[in-house]
């Protein structure tokens, strides 16, 4: 539908997603450049996570198209999109519980990253140090606490060698110190030229990274632009504080 | 000073340890020694060890499927029975009887491909029960074969062309070779990149897909391998028993044996099922004649293990001691040791 996604690394047009009678995404258009870091905000139930799942192929849209690196990937399975360089983290961490932290990350490097064994080892060690997981590298993932599970989500996504990384509330439940560390890590990813889409409720963390902000509400994008413009947008303020909240 | 130094040192990935190298050499030596069995042991023990080798194959295959692949099947007797049946059919068609045992396993592996297309759509409990239906269906279809004549059954007549002595030794060697090859294949597979992907699928299929694992193709591989291996065990059982009565081969008691060996030995550990097979073999030698109560005892023991020692004897040993004899995993050296 939209034609302004030429040159976009990742784009979606006219995305609708229904679960039976429930309309979760109601015509979402989106496009990002390879050098962008985009924050996604919006009240609970706005459809942010569902939209992310449609982008990576975990959900099929009811209608609409997804393009990645110039190709239509709407019908491409999640594993193949990951191999092309599209990685995500899960809001509720989904570690491979019976495997060690290192093995979790190795699966990602060897499959999504497509690395040979030796390269995969180097990638894993890099991701482990970047996410401060060296001290738990040989622990079974089912024994990890929440913070380490969140770190593991990031390390695993990173090991797939992503071009675009989609983060789903990776900062939720972190202390200020831990959040600061996370912002630093994501800053490093930006220096490595990885494009970022980050869904987050904790806006002050998000604003340290995002150059552009998108606000969703009721399955639609209601604002898209510079963080200051979006945060002072009337529709955004209504979505959070007004319109039926009282 | 060792703490920080350990994290500063360039970490390296460790897959073999001195102990595990010794273990592999020991395993090869044990198999080589066993190869002399028929020359030095009395016939009774040759038969018993042949049975043990078949149990090891069954346990290792069920563990590969359920313990590593997360595909808990109670219908593996489908492949055990089809392996025996295919061997009967091939031998009846004039194929050399020993060759037909191996060819039967490969044929069942081929047949598992279309079966997987249906079964791997099912999840968890649906898959488990669905496989039981496959076993019942295979049983009924085999009964329709005029050669089998329903439950009357038939036998591997071609086998009787060989003398009892030479037959006993040949089946023993074939079982030993099949066990060595199949355990070796599972070991190499689990140590490969595919092995890590198999375990990731077991733990979370969608998350595995999200990091680039081709879920269906990987599950199919382990499903077909387990089918072919279980069929080999069925064909070998036929070679020792000669007679083929469908309900003896397609019966759910085989599922009970596989689950017992794997749960007691250690679900999802490589060494566990080997231990479980030896334990089962020993228990059967003592209590096998006690009829129904023997089966009740097996079931109760497996149940207690799944409740109180879910990773079996070997899992419990592994979590207390850094004892990795045949490691399929990865350790990061230079990272602090932890369990």
């Amino acid at each position: 539908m939209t034609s302004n996604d030429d040159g976009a690394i990742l784009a979606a047009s006219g995305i609708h997603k229904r679960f039976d009678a429930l309309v979760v995404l109601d015509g979402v258009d989106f496009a990002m450049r390879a050098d962008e870091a985009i924050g996604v905000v919006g009240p609970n139930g706005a459809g942010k996570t569902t939209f992310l799942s449609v982008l990576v192929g975990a959900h099929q849209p009811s209608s609409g198209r997804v393009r990645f690196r110039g190709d239509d990937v709407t019908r491409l399975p999640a594993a193949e999109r990951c191999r092309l360089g599209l990685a995500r983290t899960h809001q509720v961490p989904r570690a491979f519980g019976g495997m060690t932290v290192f093995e979790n990350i190795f699966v990602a490097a060897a499959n999504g990253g497509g690395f040979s064994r030796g390269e995969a080892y180097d990638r894993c060690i890099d991701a482990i140090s970047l996410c401060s997981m060296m001290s738990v590298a040989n622990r079974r993932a089912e024994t990890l606490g929440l913070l380490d599970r969140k770190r593991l989500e990031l390390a695993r996504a990173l090991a797939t060698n992503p071009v675009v990384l989609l983060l789903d509330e990776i900062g939720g439940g972190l202390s200020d110190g831990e959040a600061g560390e996370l912002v630093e890590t994501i800053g490093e990813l930006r220096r490595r030229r990885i494009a970022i889409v980050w869904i987050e409720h904790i806006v002050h963390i998000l604003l340290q990274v995002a150059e552009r902000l998108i606000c969703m509400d009721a399955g639609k994008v209601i604002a898209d632009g510079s963080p200051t413009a979006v945060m002072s947008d009337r529709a955004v303020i209504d979505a959070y504080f007004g319109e039926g909240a009282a | 000073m060792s703490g920080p130094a350990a994290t500063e040192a360039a970490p390296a990935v460790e897959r073999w340890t001195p102990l595990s190298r010794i273990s592999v050499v020991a395993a090869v030596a044990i198999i080589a020694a066993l190869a002399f069995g028929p020359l030095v042991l009395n016939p009774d023990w040759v038969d018993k060890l042949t049975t043990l080798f078949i149990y090891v194959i069954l346990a290792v295959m069920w563990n590969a499927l359920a313990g590593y692949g997360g595909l808990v099947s109670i219908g593996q007797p489908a492949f055990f029975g089809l392996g025996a049946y295919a061997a009967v059919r091939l031998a009846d068609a004039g194929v050399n009887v020993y060759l037909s045992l191996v060819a039967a396993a490969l044929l069942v592996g081929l047949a598992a491909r279309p079966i997987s297309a249906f079964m791997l759509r099912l999840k968890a409990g649906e898959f488990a029960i669905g496989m039981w239906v496959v076993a019942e269906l295979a049983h009924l279809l085999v009964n329709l074969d005029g050669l089998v004549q329903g439950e009357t059954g038939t036998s591997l007549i071609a086998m009787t062309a060989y003398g009892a002595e030479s037959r006993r030794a040949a089946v023993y060697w074939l079982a030993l070779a099949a066990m060595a090859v199949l355990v070796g294949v599972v070991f190499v597979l689990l140590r490969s990149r595919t092995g890590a992907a198999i375990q990731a699928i077991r733990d979370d299929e969608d998350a595995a897909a999200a990091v680039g694992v081709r879920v269906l193709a990987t599950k199919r591989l382990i499903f077909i391998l387990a089918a072919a291996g279980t069929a080999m065990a069925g064909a070998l059982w036929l070679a020792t028993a000669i007679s083929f009565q469908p309900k003896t081969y397609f019966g759910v008691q085989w599922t009970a044996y596989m689950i017992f060996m794997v749960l007691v030995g250690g679900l999802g550990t490589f060494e566990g099922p080997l231990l479980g097979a030896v334990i089962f073999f020993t228990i059967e030698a003592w209590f096998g004649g006690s009829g129904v109560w023997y089966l009740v005892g097996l079931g109760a023991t497996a149940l207690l293990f799944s409740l109180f020692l879910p990773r079996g004897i070997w899992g419990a040993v592994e979590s207390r001691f850094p004892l990795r004899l045949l490691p399929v995993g990865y350790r990061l050296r230079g990272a602090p040791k932890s369990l």
Side-chain angles (χ1 to χ4, degrees):
Chain A
M1 290 180 203
T2 53
S3 54
N4 64 344
D5 59 359
D6 295 335
I9 187 92
L10 177 64
S13 57
I15 300 291
H16 287 80
K17 179 66 185 175
R18 285 178 291 274
F19 293 102
D20 296 324
L22 184 67
V23 177
V24 181
L25 296 175
D26 192 10
V28 177
D29 295 318
F30 168 86
M32 80 181 296
R33 297 190 317 270
D35 57 353
E36 276 191 299
I38 300 179
V40 181
V41 296
N44 289 323
K48 304 182 295 294
T49 295
T50 306
F51 180 57
L52 188 150
S53 297
V54 167
L55 287 178
V56 298
H59 288 322
Q60 271 295 313
S62 309
S63 64
R65 309 234 133 260
V66 180
R67 294 177 64 80
F68 181 53
R69 300 178 84 176
D71 293 315
D72 189 324
V73 297
T74 313
R75 296 281 152 206
L76 207 60
E80 304 307 322
R81 291 191 211 189
C82 176
R83 285 165 185 246
L84 284 178
L86 191 56
R88 64 103 46 104
T89 67
H90 296 91
Q91 182 179 0
V92 178
R94 299 179 70 165
F96 305 130
M99 307 172 77
T100 69
V101 165
F102 181 87
E103 288 163 356
N104 266 262
I105 301 168
F106 177 74
V107 170
N111 288 276
F115 293 111
S116 70
R117 190 178 282 281
E119 290 171 328
Y121 288 167
D122 292 342
R123 277 284 164 168
C124 292
I125 292 168
D126 173 58
I128 286 173
S129 18
L130 198 60
C131 299
S132 315
M133 300 201 78
M134 203 52 92
S135 63
V136 292
N138 294 326
R139 282 252 300 265
R140 276 165 79 90
E142 65 195 1
T143 68
L144 297 177
L146 179 66
L147 175 62
D148 278 328
R149 281 171 191 255
K150 293 234 168 202
R151 285 172 168 167
L152 180 54
E153 281 288 326
L154 184 58
R156 213 166 57 176
L158 211 52
T160 66
N161 196 27
V163 176
V164 177
L165 179 57
L166 309 172
L167 305 171
D168 195 356
E169 293 195 26
I170 193 131
L174 301 191
S175 73
D176 284 351
E178 291 159 358
E181 206 180 296
L182 179 65
V183 167
E184 239 173 72
T185 307
I186 292 172
E188 169 61 21
L189 305 187
R190 295 281 293 135
R191 283 189 286 282
R192 295 180 180 192
R193 314 188 65 80
I194 298 172
I196 307 257
V197 178
W198 186 0
I199 299 174
E200 193 56 77
H201 279 301
I202 312 170
V203 177
H204 73 269
I205 308 179
L206 197 55
L207 294 185
Q208 294 177 50
V209 174
E211 301 147 344
R212 185 179 143 201
L213 213 53
I214 288 174
C215 181
M216 290 181 69
D217 185 34
K220 288 186 160 78
V221 172
I222 58 167
D224 181 348
S226 77
T228 39
V230 169
M231 291 313 288
S232 56
D233 189 286
R234 189 68 240 169
V236 174
I237 295 167
D238 283 347
Y240 272 99
F241 306 110
E243 275 207 332
Chain B
M1 107 161 232
S2 73
T7 34
E8 298 295 323
V13 179
E14 175 187 273
R15 305 214 66 200
W16 292 105
T17 61
L19 180 63
S20 67
R21 284 199 180 85
I22 293 169
S23 303
V24 170
V25 172
V28 172
I30 289 171
I31 287 167
L34 283 170
F36 292 96
L39 308 178
V40 294
L41 295 172
N42 71 42
D44 191 34
W45 269 100
V46 174
D47 284 341
K48 278 184 173 157
L49 284 175
T50 306
T51 304
L52 174 62
F53 302 155
I54 295 171
Y55 288 164
V56 168
I57 294 173
L58 289 175
V60 168
M61 287 299 147
W62 200 80
N63 184 50
L65 186 70
Y68 282 100
L71 293 165
V72 176
S73 163
I74 56 175
Q76 292 311 94
F79 303 117
F80 190 79
L82 285 175
Y85 170 69
V88 168
R89 263 289 169 200
L90 285 169
D92 185 64
V95 178
N96 170 280
V97 68
Y98 294 116
L99 188 63
S100 69
L101 298 177
V102 178
L106 298 176
L107 273 180
V108 172
L110 277 180
R113 173 66 180 78
I115 295 173
S116 76
F118 294 100
M119 300 316 293
L120 294 180
R121 290 165 191 264
L122 304 178
K123 305 270 182 247
E126 291 176 359
F127 173 80
I129 302 292
M131 285 306 299
W132 194 1
V133 175
V134 168
E136 289 299 318
L137 199 61
H139 183 181
L140 290 172
L141 287 174
V142 165
N143 277 5
L144 293 178
D145 186 336
L147 181 70
V148 178
Q149 308 167 67
E151 289 303 340
T152 315
T154 178
S155 56
L156 197 60
I157 305 154
M159 202 77 191
T160 54
Y162 299 89
E165 280 308 304
S166 88
R167 198 199 307 159
R168 175 177 287 115
V171 173
Y172 174 96
W173 278 318
L174 191 58
L176 178 64
M179 176 186 76
V181 168
L182 287 168
V183 172
V185 165
V186 171
F187 185 60
V188 169
L189 178 70
L190 290 177
R191 281 178 61 86
S192 76
R193 289 137 50 100
T194 308
I198 289 168
Q199 296 174 66
I201 294 169
R202 169 198 65 196
D203 289 347
D204 190 327
E205 202 169 301
D206 296 334
V211 294
V213 173
R214 289 175 176 142
V215 171
L216 187 61
T218 309
K219 279 162 79 168
R220 193 188 293 138
L221 178 71
I222 197 82
F223 183 84
I224 291 174
L225 174 64
T230 306
M232 186 73 235
L236 288 165
W237 193 264
L238 172 72
T240 61
I242 306 288
S243 74
F244 177 73
Q245 284 174 301
K247 72 175 175 205
T248 326
Y249 288 81
F250 287 101
V252 77
Q253 80 272 13
W254 291 106
T255 300
Y257 299 163
M258 292 179 219
I259 294 179
F260 177 88
M261 293 187 281
V262 173
L263 281 186
V264 170
L267 180 73
T269 67
F270 190 82
E271 299 86 342
L274 306 174
L275 181 66
V278 173
I279 292 172
F280 175 65
F281 172 77
T282 312
I283 291 177
E284 197 193 33
W286 282 339
F287 302 109
S290 335
V292 169
W293 287 106
Y294 165 63
L295 289 173
V296 171
L298 283 186
T301 312
L303 190 69
L304 288 174
F305 267 89
S306 72
L307 286 175
F308 299 110
L309 269 187
R311 297 189 72 234
I313 295 173
W314 195 260
V317 168
E318 239 181 12
S319 67
R320 282 169 186 73
F321 311 99
L323 200 61
R324 295 179 299 126
L325 300 184
L326 299 170
V328 294
Y330 302 75
R331 292 267 139 176
L332 196 58
R333 220 156 14 91
K337 295 259 184 292
S338 53
L339 295 170

